[in-house]
């Protein structure tokens, strides 16, 4: 047994996952495409200890509710089953960004937990196996395992549903500037939102249009065609939110400030500032621009009165940051 610390980035989806074809296995209705983010991440330490009567889970700086705790314990249970062990674990985890605000804390959280806990349990899993396992904790977590720009293949079975790297982080110098608007956790989690998605009249046409959309975005990514890329990510974000807003019950993740930024982005393009937006399940807006325009976009956001922004470059997926061999009494660096 080892005490292992792993770090995993959150990711921003350009083509999004909203709705599942298998609830239990978390198989998505469509493929999705994302980029790992350099400045929003989770660091998680896991050690399995013989003397524990139950799993101990601590999230630094935040109180974990029972539902979130259970999700983590269920994931540890999957890992114990794979490793054929019965020992409980001590888990300490920390996000460097607010939870439940549409920055995918469940993605970075479950990716870091998967890597730290499987390594601590001496399992030697391939990147594909790690991605499959992370997906079962939180769908989008599977995209935080491989590097850079990733695609999650929806698949028709658990083994066929995982993310892989399309391009490394240095493929394209683009920036995601997150405008933080709301820091209060959302009322309806994305896990619950997926279940509601099918109740929207727009859900079916959305899924039917996915193959074509994915073909276009992959071509834009390959050619590094920023305009084509930007147009499709905006269309996609609005499409997903249209499904959310027309679900029964309706889900409104946007705040007035979200809309203000959307309109401003259109104006900025008119004055020759190429920038596009995308939004996950929360009010915060991700502004995607080319590296050369990063400062101009940040200044523009400040002029709108946005006080907190997080600037992200594409980055690698989950990785180990420390590993200690453990003999049951004391730790030594391995
Ligand atoms: O993995 P979940 O259940 O947190 O769902 C993520 C949903 C979105 O962030 C809205 C879209 C996506 O593909 O990341």
């Amino acid at each position: 047994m080892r005490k292992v610390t792993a770090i995993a980035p959150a990711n921003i989806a350009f083509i999004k996952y909203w709705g599942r074809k298998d609830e239990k296995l978390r198989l998505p209705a469509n493929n999705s495409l994302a980029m790992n983010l350099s400045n929003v991440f989770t660091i998680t330490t896991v050690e399995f200890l013989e003397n524990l009567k139950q799993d101990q889970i601590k999230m630094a700086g935040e109180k974990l509710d029972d539902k979130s705790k259970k999700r983590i314990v269920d994931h540890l249970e999957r890992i114990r089953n794979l490793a054929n062990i019965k020992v409980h674990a001590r888990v300490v985890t920390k996000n460097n960004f607010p939870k439940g605000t549409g920055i995918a804390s469940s993605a970075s959280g479950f990716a870091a937990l998967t890597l730290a806990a499987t390594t601590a349990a001496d399992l030697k899993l391939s990147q594909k196996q790690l991605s499959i396992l992370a997906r079962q904790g939180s769908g989008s977590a599977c995209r935080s395992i491989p590097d850079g720009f990733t695609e999650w293949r929806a698949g028709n079975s658990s083994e066929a549903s995982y993310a892989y790297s399309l391009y490394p982080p240095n493929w394209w110098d683009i920036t995601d500037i997150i405008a933080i608007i709301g820091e209060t956790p959302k009322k309806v989690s994305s896990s619950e939102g997926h279940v509601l998605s099918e109740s929207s009249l727009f859900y079916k046409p959305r899924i039917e249009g996915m193959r074509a959309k994915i073909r276009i975005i992959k071509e834009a990514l390959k050619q590094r065609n920023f305009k084509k890329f930007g147009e499709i990510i905006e269309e996609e974000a609005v499409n997903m939110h249209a499904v959310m807003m027309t679900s029964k019950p309706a889900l409104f993740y946007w705040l007035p400030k979200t809309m203000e930024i959307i309109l401003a982005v259109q104006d900025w393009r008119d004055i020759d500032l190429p920038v596009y937006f995308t939004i996950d399940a929360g009010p915060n807006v991700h502004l995607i621009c080319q590296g050369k325009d990063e400062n101009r976009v940040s200044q523009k956001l400040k002029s709108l009165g946005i006080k907190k922004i997080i600037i992200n470059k594409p980055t690698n997926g989950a990785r180990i940051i420390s590993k200690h061999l453990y003999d049951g009494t004391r730790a030594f660096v391995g």
Side-chain angles (χ1 to χ4, degrees):
M1 293 288 176
R2 291 157 195 271
K3 176 177 177 180
V4 177
T5 302
I7 182 168
N11 65 77
I12 179 66
F14 296 130
I15 300 293
K16 299 181 187 287
Y17 145 58
W18 195 248
R20 308 183 182 116
K21 56 186 171 199
D22 188 314
E23 278 307 314
K24 202 163 170 281
L25 291 176
R26 286 179 195 269
L27 299 186
N30 56 274
N31 286 22
S32 53
L33 231 111
M35 177 177 101
N36 282 319
L37 303 175
S38 59
N39 271 325
V40 278
F41 50 81
T42 303
I43 296 179
T44 300
T45 302
V46 179
E47 55 183 327
F48 289 95
L49 296 165
E50 295 286 352
N51 59 350
L52 294 181
K53 300 230 171 354
Q54 58 183 30
D55 293 318
Q56 279 181 8
I57 299 150
K58 238 209 202 134
M59 182 171 275
E62 281 174 56
K63 212 175 139 28
L64 265 181
D65 56 50
D66 289 347
K67 227 166 154 186
S68 310
K69 250 188 208 158
K70 182 174 180 312
R71 251 174 105 180
I72 296 173
V73 170
D74 287 350
H75 203 57
L76 290 169
E77 202 52 35
R78 280 183 199 108
I79 291 162
R80 274 190 284 265
N81 286 340
L82 269 180
N84 210 6
I85 55 171
K86 300 236 177 301
V87 200
H88 288 108
R90 179 178 292 153
V91 177
V92 181
T93 186
K94 188 170 171 42
N95 292 330
N96 77 331
F97 58 94
K99 184 174 169 272
T101 51
I103 304 174
S105 59
S106 61
S108 54
F110 278 95
L113 178 68
T114 302
L115 183 59
T118 54
T119 313
D122 290 328
L123 281 166
K124 288 184 180 59
L125 301 187
S126 65
Q127 191 177 83
K128 176 175 158 183
Q129 288 169 318
L130 287 167
S131 180
I132 290 169
L133 191 55
R135 188 204 77 237
Q136 294 168 64
S138 172
S140 53
C142 74
R143 298 186 308 233
S144 290
I145 298 284
D147 293 342
F149 297 85
T150 66
E151 179 176 19
W152 173 8
R153 284 197 183 106
N156 280 321
S157 66
S158 190
E159 280 60 48
S161 189
Y162 61 93
Y164 68 100
S165 179
L166 282 169
Y167 297 102
N170 64 1
W171 173 251
W172 202 5
D173 180 20
I174 59 173
T175 304
D176 173 4
I177 305 179
I178 312 175
I180 305 289
I181 292 169
E183 298 202 26
T184 40
K186 56 197 173 206
K187 287 196 198 110
V188 181
S189 70
S190 44
S191 276
E192 294 160 311
H194 287 290
V195 182
L196 297 179
S197 60
E198 278 179 55
S199 65
S200 162
L201 279 175
F202 298 151
Y203 178 74
K204 207 165 157 249
R206 165 175 168 75
I207 301 302
E208 281 166 2
M210 270 303 176
R211 271 180 197 276
K213 230 188 239 177
I214 287 177
R215 206 178 323 116
I216 299 172
I217 198 165
K218 275 180 148 174
E219 200 49 38
L221 187 57
K222 188 174 168 191
Q223 296 165 350
R224 301 187 189 91
N225 181 334
F226 190 66
K227 186 165 184 287
K228 205 168 170 191
F229 185 78
E231 285 170 359
I232 200 98
I233 70 170
E234 270 193 9
E235 180 195 321
E236 161 60 1
V238 175
N239 184 306
M240 179 183 73
H241 281 271
V243 168
M244 292 164 161
M245 291 176 193
T246 49
S247 295
K248 294 170 193 58
L251 293 179
F252 294 100
Y253 285 118
W254 296 359
L255 291 174
K257 206 74 189 170
T258 312
M259 197 62 222
E260 198 181 320
I261 297 177
I262 291 174
L263 295 176
V265 165
Q266 292 182 329
D267 290 343
W268 299 341
R269 282 205 295 269
D270 288 343
I271 54 153
D272 258 348
L273 178 58
V275 52
Y276 295 86
F277 67 83
T278 183
I279 306 164
D280 275 347
N284 300 317
V285 186
H286 293 247
L287 294 183
I288 312 297
C289 66
Q290 294 167 96
K292 64 179 174 57
D293 294 321
E294 206 175 282
N295 290 338
R296 275 177 80 200
V297 174
S298 305
Q299 284 311 318
K300 286 281 184 201
L301 277 173
K302 280 183 192 144
S303 73
L304 281 186
I306 304 294
K307 296 209 171 53
K308 195 165 170 193
I309 61 170
I310 306 175
I311 301 180
N312 295 281
K313 304 303 290 182
T315 194
N316 284 326
R319 55 206 178 272
I320 302 284
I321 49 182
S322 94
K323 220 189 245 182
H324 305 271
L325 277 174
Y326 193 71
D327 71 354
T329 52
R330 63 198 168 91
F332 20 23
V333 179

